[in-house]
Amino acid sequence: HHDAFYTEADRSGFFERLGFQHLVSWNLAALRRCVPVSSSTRLLSIGCGLGDYEIALAREVRSVLAFDLSPVAIDIATRRAAAAGVDNAVFRCSAGIDQDVPAGSVDLVVAFGVFHHLSPAERQAILRAAHTWLAPGGFMYVRDPSARGLLRRTLGPLFRWWCDVHTDDEDALDPAVIAGEFRDAGFVEIRTDYVDVIGGPLPWLLASRSDRL
């Protein structure tokens, strides 16, 4: 599913749509409000896809190590990073938990729209691995659709019917459940924020490249 999606996304310029670019910028602004990002930050990203977030953040941090299950996505992300002149980002094909990442070698772990694709057991494995990778005082930032969101409850079925982004086994997440999973993995300070992203699905629903859309 993911290889086919990323192949078509690359061919059609899906992630070059202005709507998606605005969404990436908006999500990165939310990240910066929650956790420190600086030129000394060693960043690790799980589920990087074609590398939009990672390439943007590479210009602000010391280094980026990014994982994705799809070899197609990794190849495209590597090519896009080179085209953007980014030389401090490494993209690897992996589930994100079987790489030899030294303990305490990362300052920030991010996962944008990844956890709702995973089972509870898979999330717990990644959280425990991330807790090991993080240096003292490090952060993990996860951003996913909330099962409590009114818009998702009302419009979610239409969204799933309209586009082929989703796989059958994914679903929105209960924030309280995710917070509990973080605690079980050893994280101490846990913060949950809610943002009503009204236009979030639009880049998937609208093919237009117009800035107005």
Side-chain angles (χ1 to χ4, degrees), residues 47-178:
C48 63
L50 301 190
D52 293 88
Y53 292 104
E54 296 71 22
I55 292 171
L57 287 169
R59 299 180 175 91
E60 305 175 37
V61 302
R62 174 180 170 184
S63 62
V64 175
L65 176 59
F67 300 142
D68 198 277
L69 284 171
S70 168
V72 170
I74 291 299
D75 288 345
I76 296 171
T78 300
R79 169 165 50 84
R80 294 177 81 199
V86 170
D87 59 3
N88 63 335
V90 175
F91 295 89
R92 294 181 182 173
C93 186
S94 167
I97 58 175
D98 56 357
Q99 294 290 335
D100 185 20
V101 179
S105 64
V106 176
D107 303 300
L108 174 60
V109 176
V110 298
F112 285 97
V114 175
F115 270 36
H116 71 288
H117 290 275
L118 307 176
S119 69
E122 290 169 331
R123 294 196 298 265
Q124 193 61 208
I126 287 180
L127 286 170
R128 292 188 183 280
H131 189 268
T132 300
W133 298 332
L134 284 169
F139 294 86
M140 183 166 186
Y141 182 88
V142 170
R143 193 168 186 81
D144 284 277
S146 171
R148 299 182 182 180
L150 177 61
L151 285 172
R152 183 160 295 275
R153 290 201 300 268
T154 56
L155 299 180
L158 174 63
F159 184 24
R160 295 177 71 92
W161 171 80
W162 186 285
C163 63
D164 60 358
V165 174
H166 295 284
T167 53
D168 293 336
D169 58 348
E170 70 178 86
D171 204 356
L173 302 176
D174 187 316
V177 172
I178 299 303

